[in-house]
Amino acid sequence: MQCPHCHSDNPDTSRFCGNCAASLSPEGRDLASFTKTLTAPVQALKKGTLFANKYRISGEIGRGGMGVVFKAEDTRLKRPVALKLLPFELSHSPEAKERFIREAQAAAVLDHPNICTVYEVEEQEGQAYIAMAYIDGKSLKERIAQSPLKIEEALGIARQIAEGLEEAHRNGIIHRDIKPANIMLTAKGQAKIMDFGLARLESAGDLTRTSVVMGTIAYMSPEQALGKKVDHRTDIWSFGCLLSEMLAGHGPFQGGHEQAILQAIVHADPEPIAALRRDIPAGLVRVLDRCLKKNPLDRYPDAGALNKDLKSVNLADIVSLPTVVVPKAGPSIAVLPFSDMSPEKDQDYFGEGIAEELINALAHIQDLRVVARTSAFALKGMNLDIREIGRKLDVKAVLEGSVRKAGNRLRVTAQLINVENGFHLWSERYDREMDDIFAIQDDITSAIVDSLKVKLLAGEKTALKKRSTDDPEAYSLYLKGLYFHSRPSFESYSKALDFFRAAIDKDPNFAQAYAGMAFIFGGLGILNLAPPSEMWPKAKAALLKALSLDEDLAEAHAVAAMLAFWYEWDWEAAARSLDKVLSLNPGDATSHGARGWFCLNRRRFDEAIREIKKALELDPLMPLYYAWSVGLHWSVGRPDEALQEFAKALEIDPNNGLAYFHAGVAYYRKGLLSEALETLEKGKKFAVFPGWAEFGIGIIHLKQGDPGKATQILDEMIENKNTTKNLSSVCVAWLAGALGKLDLAFEFLEKAYEERDSLMIFIHIYADIFSPIISADPRFKDILKKMKLDV
């Protein structure tokens, strides 16, 4: 069936377009006409009526699409009850009656303090009814309408609802209509889930057929709204909508009519909750984000996992608004490396270092978008016009300058240029002693803020002038370390370590130098340029020293996130550190990219893609981020987009080995084996992670029907592993498993665990892709459990 609005093709059974969410009704009816809501008069029961010989009617307390509810007294057991009656006319509909009976059967098996108790389900003279506990209180909908909920109150209610859902899901029951109106709050604040009128017992046949929309529009999951088959994760989505409403006063998706709401549910991202309320704990933001993933696979796997995260929310860990990337429409700047005007031309590192320090300082400002170092420095030596630079980097202003150093004398010039017209917004020349370098940098940052009319928030002015050392000689050595730090190779990293150590010798309290050392040790391990198990303790020691000197050093928290994620495999600690670094430095492109990989590990696939896009927005010429983008796209099942990103990566750097590897896997996932093999062979000479290309080539040969060649590659990898410890054991394991050598595969997975192989953190994502036989083995579950990847 073709959509009348966007002309996309859809299955004949679809009620709504999968592309634009427009109604596919042949009669052109609106969304409401497809919402399965049954309404009909119900048998009139006046106050005082004795129903079913034992229930004395007190009065009507509510009505909905599947019946009317009365308050009554059970005259035999002397207790108040809520009596729900199926509309009398609908009692003659087998489907309606069966659904009504199923509601009772579903709810009756549940015995939990956060679920309303069902006493009985019966039929009286053709009138089906349910008797359930009467709850003296008000609905959550009424509570939200009264006043905004405090965080503690909202979190307490959310935890109780999650407890009830966990019990229901454990018994195979999906509610499918979780919303504030279906949550009752007792006078003591106890939350109880009501109305399993749309519940589906997983062990029974589904009366609510695929393509028939059931439930309440504003709380429907995308798959439910489109009439697709749903499971318990639809309740997770509805819970997220309910949680958002408790926190913000309204749901995450709004519109003037039902069709607009549906379109937003299917296609739009919800407004970030942190932008609506400033006292939201970071952990609660993460819970909400995961509940509202479009793809059910990206949500919590069950209510138990949701409840676990809710219980771990730290109320004191308030999310900071700077984690939101500043829109491009605001002020933006690129800081180019300062030219070396010294006679000996030996101050290139100093010119780059000054620019990098200015970038780091300005990146702390929420209302200023600062292009990251790599992209700004990529244009060095190209002699481009300022307008061309502005176009390439998508900025409104450019800072350029020069440095001339002779002995202890220093001359620094700087000019801030308006990209649109080429005019100077500000310029200055400083003839000072080397000891004045810090004051010069402070003057330049202040001039930029004033010239661009950027409003500083509380604490940002202090952050601009913050530094880890007052020793100019130590600082000069540190800048040399940064120069080599930004050129990842074993040789450059070794030089960077030497300069960072020399800086620390000059100033033992130089926190940034310790953070630099920690990053280098960590980078060597992650890239397998040195044994990870040897690098991790060194990185950890340097990190702890940096944090002991400055607990709010953004560079240190970035390393803390790296170590927690890649080495310690402490997922909660990694999340905390990523939140911290991005609150201190919202313009840190590397941390946004790192958060993309973290989200992949957590199966938050949509968020992973958003994070790498943020990284590329902040650093649009960074080759590494394009390689990461290729990898993240194929990892979440988007190989076509991965290959589009690969084309961009080659434009930036045609020798990007990591991008070649990821592109090879993207071709592999598309079934284009010849292209995959060719790409991996091309990229093999550029590879920076020993083992990746080899195992990929081996698996492709196996898929092409040449197990002999694959076995030969495996033997060569094992031989190389014995002589070069830094070859990835995980890569050996994947290829061994693909060849059916399970014992050998698990031997190397255990080695990888002991070595802290960085690829171990994705084994739960990649096992089914590269070696399904491994993931089916019971030993694999044991490994996942050890790594806390079994949720």
Side-chain angles (χ1 to χ4, degrees):
M1 182 183 298
Q2 192 176 71
C3 174
H5 294 276
C6 71
H7 307 292
S8 298
D9 289 329
N10 293 271
D12 290 339
T13 56
S14 298
R15 298 297 182 107
F16 304 99
C17 176
N19 180 53
C20 73
S23 171
L24 298 180
S25 161
E27 298 85 5
R29 291 174 292 172
D30 63 14
L31 176 67
S33 66
F34 283 106
T35 303
K36 186 73 170 179
T37 304
L38 303 175
T39 56
V42 73
Q43 178 182 355
L45 293 178
K46 296 181 180 180
K47 183 177 181 180
T49 301
L50 186 65
F51 180 79
N53 296 319
K54 59 179 175 180
Y55 296 115
R56 183 78 62 189
I57 302 299
S58 302
E60 182 179 322
I61 57 177
R63 62 175 57 221
M66 281 300 291
V68 178
V69 183
F70 297 90
K71 181 182 179 182
E73 180 189 7
D74 186 332
T75 57
R76 298 178 183 177
L77 297 177
K78 304 298 182 184
R79 64 185 178 188
V81 299
L83 202 64
K84 183 171 184 179
L85 278 63
L86 181 68
F88 190 80
E89 287 77 3
L90 293 184
S91 293
H92 300 290
S93 164
E95 180 187 33
K97 183 181 290 187
E98 188 173 351
R99 278 196 60 231
F100 188 82
I101 299 299
R102 177 178 294 181
E103 169 184 353
Q105 293 173 336
V109 303
L110 303 175
D111 182 14
H112 192 274
N114 297 121
I115 297 176
C116 181
T117 303
V118 171
Y119 295 141
E120 71 167 347
V121 54
E122 284 293 347
E123 191 172 346
Q124 172 69 23
E125 297 180 355
Q127 174 71 71
Y129 70 88
I130 299 174
M132 64 191 84
Y134 172 75
I135 298 174
D136 186 11
K138 57 190 171 188
S139 71
L140 180 57
K141 180 179 180 180
E142 294 172 311
R143 171 63 191 89
I144 293 172
Q146 284 180 343
S147 62
L149 277 69
K150 293 182 178 179
I151 295 297
E152 295 87 345
E153 181 183 4
L155 183 57
I157 293 172
R159 287 170 175 168
Q160 293 184 66
I161 298 170
E163 292 274 4
L165 284 178
E166 184 176 359
E167 175 68 14
H169 293 174
R170 187 183 298 117
N171 285 275
I173 297 168
I174 307 168
H175 190 286
R176 298 212 293 188
D177 198 20
I178 292 294
K179 58 183 179 181
N182 280 340
I183 307 297
M184 289 296 294
L185 303 175
T186 69
K188 294 182 179 180
Q190 186 176 22
K192 289 183 177 287
I193 303 175
M194 307 288 293
D195 196 356
F196 275 78
L198 295 174
R200 177 169 69 85
L201 195 63
E202 289 184 312
S203 60
D206 188 6
L207 287 172
T208 53
R209 300 178 302 276
T210 299
S211 83
V212 178
V213 180
M214 309 293 297
T216 306
I217 293 294
Y219 307 93
M220 283 183 179
S221 64
E223 64 273 20
Q224 188 178 9
L226 292 172
K228 297 180 179 179
K229 184 177 177 61
V230 302
D231 59 19
H232 56 278
R233 286 169 295 196
T234 197
D235 285 347
I236 301 293
W237 170 281
S238 300
F239 174 90
C241 295
L242 177 149
L243 176 59
S244 179
E245 190 166 347
M246 284 198 290
L247 296 172
H250 58 75
F253 302 98
Q254 302 181 73
H257 51 82
E258 290 181 323
Q259 187 72 28
I261 296 173
L262 176 64
Q263 178 120 0
I265 288 171
V266 175
H267 295 297
D269 289 330
E271 186 174 2
I273 193 70
L276 301 174
R277 185 166 177 171
R278 292 178 175 270
D279 60 345
I280 304 291
L284 201 53
V285 173
R286 290 193 293 271
V287 168
L288 187 58
D289 287 346
R290 189 171 180 185
C291 287
L292 295 178
K293 297 299 181 188
K294 304 290 187 190
N295 187 339
L297 295 175
D298 295 344
R299 296 176 212 148
Y300 286 100
D302 51 51
L306 163 64
N307 197 25
K308 181 180 177 182
D309 274 8
L310 283 171
K311 289 178 179 178
S312 68
V313 170
N314 180 0
L315 291 174
D317 184 19
I318 302 300
V319 70
S320 178
L321 284 178
T323 59
V324 181
V325 175
V326 179
K328 291 185 179 181
S332 54
I333 186 173
V335 180
L336 304 182
F338 282 36
S339 302
D340 178 16
M341 303 299 291
S342 302
E344 294 81 9
K345 297 295 181 183
D346 59 350
Q347 299 299 311
D348 196 37
Y349 78 90
F350 198 79
E352 285 196 10
I354 290 177
E356 182 159 357
E357 286 294 280
L358 290 171
I359 290 170
N360 290 339
L362 294 170
H364 288 77
I365 302 174
Q366 177 183 346
D367 290 334
L368 178 64
R369 183 169 61 87
V370 184
V371 171
R373 175 197 187 283
T374 310
S375 293
F377 286 22
L379 306 180
K380 183 178 179 180
M382 291 188 179
N383 296 318
L384 296 176
D385 178 82
I386 286 295
R387 291 180 179 82
E388 179 67 8
I389 292 174
R391 186 190 66 78
K392 283 182 174 292
L393 300 180
D394 192 18
V395 293
K396 297 179 180 179
V398 170
L399 180 78
E400 62 178 8
S402 64
V403 58
R404 180 185 180 96
K405 191 167 179 283
N408 199 43
R409 293 295 300 174
L410 187 67
R411 170 176 290 177
V412 176
T413 64
Q415 46 270 340
L416 183 66
I417 305 170
N418 185 326
V419 168
E420 185 177 1
N421 54 30
F423 292 163
H424 282 67
L425 296 170
W426 165 87
S427 64
E428 189 61 80
R429 188 179 81 178
Y430 304 89
D431 287 301
R432 307 277 183 88
E433 298 289 328
M434 180 61 190
D435 291 354
D436 294 326
I437 182 60
F438 305 117
I440 294 173
Q441 290 178 353
D442 290 345
D443 287 348
I444 294 174
T445 55
S446 296
I448 291 171
V449 169
D450 292 341
S451 300
L452 298 182
K453 296 179 173 56
V454 177
K455 183 180 179 181
L456 296 181
L457 300 179
E460 290 182 345
K461 191 170 185 178
T462 302
L464 285 178
K465 295 186 177 182
K466 182 179 179 180
R467 61 181 59 90
S468 288
T469 185
D470 292 319
D471 186 325
E473 190 173 353
Y475 183 67
S476 180
L477 291 165
Y478 172 72
L479 293 184
K480 290 181 179 179
L482 286 183
Y483 182 83
F484 291 105
H485 164 287
S486 63
R487 292 159 169 78
S489 70
F490 184 82
E491 294 74 17
S492 291
Y493 274 4
S494 296
K495 291 178 181 178
L497 280 175
D498 289 340
F499 284 117
F500 287 145
R501 288 190 179 109
I504 290 169
D505 288 341
K506 290 292 181 182
D507 182 356
N509 295 318
F510 198 167
Q512 281 181 300
Y514 281 108
M517 285 181 61
F519 179 90
I520 294 298
F521 284 129
L524 287 168
I526 290 173
L527 295 175
N528 265 26
L529 297 174
S533 58
E534 295 177 16
M535 294 298 101
W536 176 77
K538 295 179 180 179
K540 187 73 171 180
L543 169 64
L544 292 176
K545 181 63 177 178
L547 289 173
S548 71
L549 294 168
D550 185 352
E551 62 181 11
D552 289 326
L553 183 63
E555 294 94 325
H557 286 286
V559 177
M562 177 175 72
L563 295 182
F565 184 55
W566 294 99
Y567 293 116
E568 297 173 323
W569 301 336
D570 186 337
W571 319 125
E572 293 180 0
R576 289 194 300 271
S577 292
L578 284 168
D579 286 343
K580 181 70 173 179
V581 68
L582 288 173
S583 69
L584 292 168
N585 187 355
D588 186 350
T590 300
S591 290
H592 278 294
R595 182 179 260 171
W597 289 108
F598 171 81
C599 291
L600 175 66
N601 169 279
R602 300 287 83 198
R603 296 184 183 276
R604 287 150 44 186
F605 297 150
D606 289 344
E607 192 175 347
I609 299 303
R610 286 200 297 271
E611 288 294 339
I612 192 58
K613 286 182 178 178
K614 288 179 184 178
L616 284 167
E617 177 185 313
L618 291 164
D619 205 348
L621 299 180
M622 175 57 154
L624 177 62
Y625 301 158
Y626 280 102
W628 284 359
S629 187
V630 180
L632 286 169
H633 276 90
W634 74 253
S635 296
V636 304
R638 302 183 189 179
D640 289 325
E641 293 175 58
L643 293 173
Q644 291 171 9
E645 294 296 282
F646 179 52
K648 297 176 186 176
L650 294 187
E651 289 178 9
I652 303 296
D653 179 6
N655 300 326
N656 191 327
L658 188 58
Y660 274 99
F661 167 75
H662 285 307
V665 181
Y667 280 121
Y668 172 81
R669 295 208 70 180
K670 284 174 64 66
L672 302 174
L673 300 183
S674 297
E675 291 85 345
L677 185 59
E678 180 183 359
T679 303
L680 289 174
E681 290 285 6
K682 279 183 180 178
K684 190 175 179 181
K685 58 185 175 182
F686 306 125
V688 295
F689 196 104
W692 282 23
E694 291 85 349
F695 103 87
I697 292 170
I699 284 182
I700 291 171
H701 280 300
L702 183 61
K703 284 282 186 181
Q704 290 178 328
D706 191 350
K709 181 63 175 178
T711 301
Q712 178 186 342
I713 292 174
L714 175 64
D715 292 341
E716 291 172 355
M717 291 178 70
I718 294 174
E719 183 179 349
N720 290 337
K721 176 68 179 175
N722 292 332
T723 55
T724 58
K725 294 182 180 179
N726 55 330
L727 187 141
S728 171
S729 292
V730 171
C731 292
V732 177
W734 288 153
L735 185 52
L739 285 163
K741 301 182 178 184
L742 274 176
D743 289 342
L744 182 62
F746 281 98
E747 175 188 336
F748 274 91
L749 279 180
E750 289 296 339
K751 280 186 180 181
Y753 179 86
E754 294 168 3
E755 296 166 351
R756 316 300 287 189
D757 190 317
S758 56
L759 285 184
M760 284 293 285
I761 62 179
F762 300 119
I763 58 173
H764 60 314
I765 304 291
Y766 294 156
D768 288 334
I769 297 173
F770 297 128
S771 188
I773 193 173
I774 288 180
S775 60
D777 193 289
R779 289 172 288 183
F780 189 64
K781 294 181 180 178
D782 293 337
I783 294 175
L784 293 183
K785 188 174 182 180
K786 283 198 300 184
M787 297 191 64
K788 299 180 181 178
L789 293 174
D790 56 337
V791 294

